[in-house]
Amino acid sequence: FQGIVITPLLLLLFLGSSSSVPFTSIFSQLFMTVVVPLVIGQIVRRYIKDWLERKKPPFGAISSCVLLMIIYTTFCDTFANPNIDLDKFSLIIIVFIIFSVQMSFMFLTFLFSTRNNSSFTPADTVAIIFCSTHKSLTLGIPMLKIVFAGYEHLSLISVPLLIYHPAQILLGSLLVPTIKSWMVSRQKALKLTRQPKAPVKV
């Protein structure tokens, strides 16, 4: 939700009010593309929740297929563009920067959620690490297409997002065993510290 507001404001800050970017149109399109479907979905869910629990439609598989199609079509639109000017060295640098940024975000959220005065449980920490640092193409690509509509280098500026999405999946799958073992050991340690000590008989 913050991105819907912050993104156009950042454009206004960096491009200036003299720019021809239609900020009102950007706000309205982002609202219609992101907020309205979410609100409608939450309202409809309240009325058909019981039916959904009985029938259990395969929404998980449907959403995965839709996400796969979005990634596929975005890759096609990006690299089918003959005007894209991206050499191999630049691509390697982008991949390195994105992996570094992703790792830095995960490390910072880990430090934040495990600080001494934090009330987060180990399970909370795991949720924070993955949920707060992972972003989806389903929001990023529509936002790019709305904000930079008609921009000739749209394919080029979507490359970091195309790399970020697979990078977070790869890093997540690699870090899951380590994070899981940390969470289990941390939970066991907390249980031991919370157990009442047996009275010492004299």
Side-chain angles (χ1 to χ4, degrees), residues 1-5 7-8 25-42 135-147:
F1 284 118
Q2 290 178 352
I4 298 170
V5 178
T7 301
S25 175
I26 290 174
F27 272 116
S28 61
Q29 289 186 60
L30 287 176
F31 184 82
M32 293 299 295
T33 305
V34 179
V35 179
V36 171
L38 180 61
V39 172
I40 292 175
Q42 292 299 317
K135 302 301 175 187
S136 174
L137 280 173
T138 53
L139 178 60
I141 292 301
M143 188 175 289
L144 279 178
K145 289 185 176 180
I146 291 171
V147 173

Side-chain angles (χ1 to χ4, degrees), residues 1-161:
F1 284 118
Q2 290 178 352
I4 298 170
V5 178
I6 292 174
T7 301
L9 289 179
L10 287 175
L11 282 174
L12 181 63
L13 175 65
F14 288 111
L15 299 179
S17 58
S18 60
S19 173
S20 60
V21 177
F23 293 101
T24 305
S25 175
I26 290 174
F27 272 116
S28 61
Q29 289 186 60
L30 287 176
F31 184 82
M32 293 299 295
T33 305
V34 179
V35 179
V36 171
L38 180 61
V39 172
I40 292 175
Q42 292 299 317
I43 293 173
V44 172
R45 185 178 180 275
R46 290 175 63 89
Y47 293 100
I48 63 172
K49 182 179 179 180
D50 295 335
W51 179 84
L52 290 174
E53 291 178 352
R54 289 196 311 270
K55 297 296 184 180
K56 299 187 184 303
F59 285 138
I62 294 172
S63 63
S64 298
C65 292
V66 171
L67 179 60
L68 182 62
M69 288 301 299
I70 291 174
I71 296 173
Y72 174 74
T73 55
T74 305
F75 264 95
C76 291
D77 291 341
T78 300
F79 294 102
N81 187 353
N83 297 323
I84 188 171
D85 185 18
L86 185 65
D87 58 276
K88 294 180 180 179
F89 180 74
S90 299
L91 190 60
I92 293 172
I93 294 297
I94 293 172
V95 171
F96 175 77
I97 291 173
I98 289 173
F99 269 85
S100 301
V101 168
Q102 177 71 12
M103 287 296 297
S104 300
F105 282 159
M106 297 180 78
F107 181 68
L108 288 174
T109 53
F110 177 80
L111 292 179
F112 167 77
S113 58
T114 55
R115 66 192 191 281
N116 291 331
N117 58 345
S118 172
S119 60
F120 295 117
T121 65
D124 292 334
T125 297
V126 174
I128 291 169
I129 290 173
F130 286 107
C131 294
S132 65
T133 60
H134 284 49
K135 302 301 175 187
S136 174
L137 280 173
T138 53
L139 178 60
I141 292 301
M143 188 175 289
L144 279 178
K145 289 185 176 180
I146 291 171
V147 173
F148 297 99
Y151 185 57
E152 60 179 343
H153 298 296
L154 176 61
S155 298
L156 190 61
I157 62 177
S158 64
V159 170
L161 182 59

